[in-house]
């Protein structure tokens, strides 16, 4: 939920960021699979972690990251400190480059890429029947031997029998995005997932350059996940959606759908993930969408069209089931509460009217009533999505800041035989 007052603050914030924030630079492609990545990854847990990325977001290095360690992260409790320090490689500073107003390099998304090949990528851009713009995205994984993010990263191609799916709006408008993002990542490691997470997909909304930098330099993310998009260039606002997929999963076809009717730069990010039946061995494809629908009462007319466009993508040829998670901003009357039904989607929540399933309105309390803004919808005869669990309730940094104004959701996706 984004209030009018918040939008005013964000407008001022946007003007400041346009003049001061460095564009995240292109991460160079490798020319082949990095066969040593998994071997090198074993050293991650034996190094110290630091997280302060400097006064401004750093340029993503195409050359090995510098060795200078930075101050320890904020946003941790005393108990968290020892846990973080033992978890892995340092968040290293990039090359010392001035803050630049230059746009991202045109090559940032010039060549289509998926987790393992470019064979299944769509054309450079497509206008969908709904009139929205569909574009391919890069997906990049961290190379421990090359010390950079690359498109042709090592993938063990282990098709999972089920997928853990998490969604979280991490709130770009509150102060100190880096410490708050660090706190959320630590929570995912210690509570929602684990230090060695199961096959999973994490959907993040309201990621800005500060929180994206934190993701890029974070050792747990580097070791276990692939990121799409890996730069800010595909975003149509000064924040956007980022999807993390376990690097062991041979997912395909990362794409972004740009809503033509959005006045807030809203989009949906898609990935296609294979899931195997544990009994028959049959492999089916689930398409996962990560979205942030139009906000405020002014967005009421846009949200049904945006969700319908996502639903059409989830039912595309070759897709056996589809799931969309994110901040749906469904704050209106009965019609607004039923836009998923109009789009032919099912709500994964078994008790949608239970206040225990509210994800917004408590952190902090506002003049608006608490709401279930974050939801998971699905489609497909064989796909099963467990009722989501609300996660991150009451989560704060060491300084007492709310990690986000939203709670997250966690569920599991699989196929029936």
């Amino acid at each position: 939920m984004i209030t009018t007052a918040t939008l005013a603050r964000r407008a001022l914030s946007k003007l400041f960021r346009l003049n001061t924030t460095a564009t995240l630079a292109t991460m160079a492609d490798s020319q082949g699979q990095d066969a040593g990545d998994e071997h090198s990854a074993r050293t991650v847990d034996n190094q110290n972690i630091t997280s302060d990325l400097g006064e401004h977001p750093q340029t993503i290095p195409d050359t090995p990251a510098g060795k200078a360690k930075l101050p320890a992260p904020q946003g941790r409790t005393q108990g968290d400190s020892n846990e973080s320090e033992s978890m892995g490689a340092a968040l290293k500073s990039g090359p010392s480059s001035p803050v630049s107003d230059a746009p991202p390099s045109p090559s940032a998304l010039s060549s289509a890429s998926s987790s393992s090949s470019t064979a299944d990528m769509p054309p450079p851009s497509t206008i969908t029947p709904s009139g929205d713009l569909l574009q391919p995205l890069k997906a990049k994984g961290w190379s421990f031997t090359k010390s950079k993010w690359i498109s042709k990263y090592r993938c063990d191609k282990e098709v999972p029998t089920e997928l853990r799916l998490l969604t979280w709006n991490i709130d770009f408008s509150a102060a100190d995005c880096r410490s708050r993002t660090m706190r959320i990542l630590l929570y995912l490691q210690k509570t929602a997932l684990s230090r060695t997470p199961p096959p999973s997909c994490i959907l993040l909304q309201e990621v800005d350059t500060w929180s994206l930098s934190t993701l890029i330099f974070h050792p747990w993310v580097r070791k276990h996940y692939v990121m799409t998009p890996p730069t800010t260039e595909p975003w149509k606002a000064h924040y956007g959606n980022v999807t993390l997929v376990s690097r062991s999963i041979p997912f395909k076809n990362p794409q972004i759908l740009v809503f033509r009717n959005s006045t807030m730069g809203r989009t949906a990010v898609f990935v296609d993930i294979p899931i195997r039946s544990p009994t028959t061995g049959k492999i089916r494809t689930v398409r996962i969408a990560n979205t942030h629908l139009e906000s405020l009462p002014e967005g009421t007319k846009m949200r049904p069209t945006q969700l319908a466009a996502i639903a059409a993508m989830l039912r595309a040829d070759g897709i056996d089931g589809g799931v969309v998670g994110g901040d749906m901003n469904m704050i209106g009357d009965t019609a607004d509460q039923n836009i998923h039904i109009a789009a032919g989607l099912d709500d994964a929540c078994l008790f949608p009217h239970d206040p225990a399933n509210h994800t917004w309105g408590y952190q902090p309390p506002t003049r608006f009533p608490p709401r279930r803004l974050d939801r998971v919808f699905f489609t497909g005869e064989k796909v099963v999505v467990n009722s989501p669990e609300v996660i991150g309730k009451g989560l704060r940094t060491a300084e007492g800041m709310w990690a986000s104004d939203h709670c997250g959701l966690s569920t599991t996706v699989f196929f029936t035989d």
Side-chain angles (χ1 to χ4, degrees):
M1 173 71 178
I2 301 178
T3 66
T4 303
T6 300
L7 284 178
R9 291 197 304 272
R10 292 181 181 184
L12 293 174
S13 174
K14 181 176 181 180
L15 290 174
F16 173 78
R17 291 170 189 269
L18 288 174
N19 290 321
T20 63
T21 304
T23 300
L24 299 176
T26 303
M27 296 181 285
D29 289 344
S30 169
Q31 295 303 311
Q33 285 193 341
D34 191 344
D37 278 356
E38 293 303 314
H39 171 76
S40 301
R42 295 180 313 195
T43 64
V44 171
D45 287 332
N46 297 322
Q47 302 177 25
N48 292 325
I49 176 174
T50 57
S51 70
D52 192 338
L53 302 178
E55 183 179 357
H56 299 288
Q58 298 294 309
T59 301
I60 301 171
D62 287 333
T63 55
K67 296 183 179 180
K69 293 182 179 179
L70 297 168
Q74 298 179 357
R76 301 181 300 177
T77 63
Q78 185 62 38
D80 293 337
S81 178
N82 293 336
E83 181 76 11
S84 290
E85 288 168 0
S86 66
M87 67 170 281
L91 297 178
K92 300 175 181 178
S93 63
S96 56
S97 60
V99 173
S100 171
D101 291 326
S105 166
S107 63
L109 292 172
S110 60
S111 61
S113 65
S114 69
S115 61
S116 58
S117 73
T118 61
D120 299 306
M121 293 304 300
S125 63
T126 303
I127 301 298
T128 67
S130 61
D132 301 314
L133 180 65
L134 181 65
Q135 297 176 307
L137 290 176
K138 280 189 180 294
K140 294 197 174 186
W142 177 255
S143 167
F144 288 92
T145 58
K146 300 183 185 301
S147 293
K148 61 183 179 183
W149 290 84
I150 59 177
S151 291
K152 296 182 179 179
Y153 55 88
R154 183 178 177 86
C155 176
D156 290 338
K157 297 184 179 180
E158 297 178 359
V159 177
T161 57
E162 63 179 27
L163 178 75
R164 286 289 303 279
L165 181 67
L166 298 88
T167 179
W168 207 325
N169 180 324
I170 62 174
D171 184 14
F172 85 89
S173 65
D176 201 352
C177 285
R178 291 171 292 178
S179 291
R180 292 188 296 102
T181 304
M182 283 292 297
R183 186 68 187 92
I184 288 171
L185 290 173
L186 186 61
Y187 174 85
L188 293 179
Q189 295 167 71
K190 292 181 60 178
T191 305
L193 292 169
S194 70
R195 294 274 295 280
T196 305
S200 49
C201 182
I202 303 173
L203 314 178
L204 301 175
Q205 303 89 43
E206 288 200 29
V207 179
D208 69 354
T209 53
W210 305 94
S211 46
L212 180 60
S213 292
T214 305
L215 295 172
I216 286 169
F217 284 94
H218 198 280
W220 184 72
V221 175
R222 287 180 170 182
K223 181 177 180 180
H224 296 290
Y225 290 96
V226 177
M227 184 185 306
T228 186
T231 72
T232 62
E233 184 176 5
W235 296 351
K236 304 307 174 184
H238 54 292
Y239 60 91
N241 307 321
V242 170
T243 296
L244 305 177
V245 183
S246 292
R247 62 184 298 140
S248 63
I249 299 176
F251 74 96
K252 298 180 180 181
N253 214 17
Q255 307 172 78
I256 186 169
L257 186 67
V258 181
F259 301 129
R260 65 178 176 83
N261 70 347
S262 177
T263 62
M264 301 177 181
R266 299 298 164 83
T267 64
V269 172
F270 298 87
V271 292
D272 296 348
I273 294 179
I275 296 181
R276 177 177 55 83
S277 167
T279 55
T280 66
K282 182 176 181 178
I283 296 176
R284 296 181 175 93
T285 298
V286 61
R287 175 164 285 176
I288 304 292
N290 175 7
T291 196
H292 187 187
L293 300 184
E294 209 80 0
S295 303
L296 302 172
E298 293 80 3
T300 302
K301 294 182 179 180
M302 288 85 155
R303 289 191 287 272
T305 303
Q306 293 170 357
L307 190 58
I310 293 172
M313 290 284 295
L314 299 183
R315 290 190 286 263
D317 292 342
I319 302 300
D320 300 295
V323 182
V324 55
D327 182 355
M328 304 300 175
N329 276 311
M330 295 159 61
I331 61 174
D333 57 13
T334 301
D336 199 24
Q337 297 304 312
N338 292 332
I339 61 173
H340 62 291
I341 297 175
L345 300 174
D346 293 315
D347 191 343
C349 184
L350 293 179
F351 305 100
H353 302 296
D354 187 342
N357 289 314
H358 290 161
T359 60
W360 180 90
Y362 300 101
Q363 302 178 186
T366 74
R367 62 189 178 93
F368 300 102
R371 306 270 190 170
R372 189 169 67 98
L373 296 190
D374 306 86
R375 308 192 187 190
V376 177
F377 301 135
F378 68 98
T379 182
E381 292 183 0
K382 298 291 186 178
V383 68
V384 178
V385 183
N386 289 340
S387 189
E389 173 191 1
V390 178
I391 60 174
K393 290 183 178 180
L395 189 66
R396 294 177 183 262
T397 68
E399 293 73 30
M401 294 185 62
W402 296 109
S404 174
D405 58 340
H406 288 248
C407 296
L409 294 174
S410 175
T411 185
T412 303
V413 180
F414 57 96
F415 284 98
T416 61
D417 292 333

